[in-house]
Amino acid sequence: MFFSFSLPVLAALTGCESDMVRYEEIRQYHQESKTLQQVEADSVNRFTQKVDAFVVVHADAVDDPLYPEIRQNIEDALVKFVITVQDEWDKEDVSY
């Protein structure tokens, strides 16, 4: 009798397994990615490697809704345009 009752319950519980797995690391990476605009490019690269290594081990982490935001924050941090205009010429000593 117990077995016949537990079978429908087991089926109902396993149906919930299709829900997305959430990783605390992804939440932490998301928070860290928000600060990437203030760091140097080499720090952004190290962060990117850390996230990529995590996703290799936990491939389903890319399904987390925060993951695309992390990737966008990385891209935004790496694409920086700095235009410096020097309005005075260096004084050169030209001799003929």
Side-chain angles (χ1 to χ4, degrees), residues 33 36-49 52 70-82:
S33 74
L36 292 176
Q37 291 286 339
Q38 292 96 28
V39 299
E40 298 295 323
D42 61 332
S43 295
V44 176
N45 289 329
R46 283 194 301 275
F47 175 77
T48 304
Q49 291 170 352
D52 290 346
I70 294 169
R71 298 308 305 183
Q72 185 63 51
N73 290 341
I74 290 170
E75 185 178 324
D76 291 347
L78 288 175
V79 179
K80 295 179 184 176
F81 291 100
V82 177

Side-chain angles (χ1 to χ4, degrees), residues 12-96:
L13 291 177
T14 57
C16 296
E17 287 180 359
S18 65
D19 291 343
M20 182 183 60
V21 176
R22 300 293 301 256
Y23 293 99
E24 180 60 30
E25 291 88 346
I26 291 295
R27 217 174 291 149
Q28 292 170 357
Y29 293 154
H30 181 256
Q31 287 301 317
E32 188 175 349
S33 74
K34 292 178 179 181
T35 65
L36 292 176
Q37 291 286 339
Q38 292 96 28
V39 299
E40 298 295 323
D42 61 332
S43 295
V44 176
N45 289 329
R46 283 194 301 275
F47 175 77
T48 304
Q49 291 170 352
K50 181 171 60 172
V51 171
D52 290 346
F54 182 81
V55 171
V56 166
V57 175
H58 306 283
D60 56 344
V62 298
D63 297 329
D64 191 302
L66 295 177
Y67 183 75
E69 292 181 35
I70 294 169
R71 298 308 305 183
Q72 185 63 51
N73 290 341
I74 290 170
E75 185 178 324
D76 291 347
L78 288 175
V79 179
K80 295 179 184 176
F81 291 100
V82 177
I83 299 173
T84 305
V85 177
Q86 186 171 354
D87 60 351
E88 62 183 57
W89 293 93
D90 289 336
K91 297 186 185 212
E92 295 180 21
D93 185 19
V94 181
S95 301
Y96 291 102

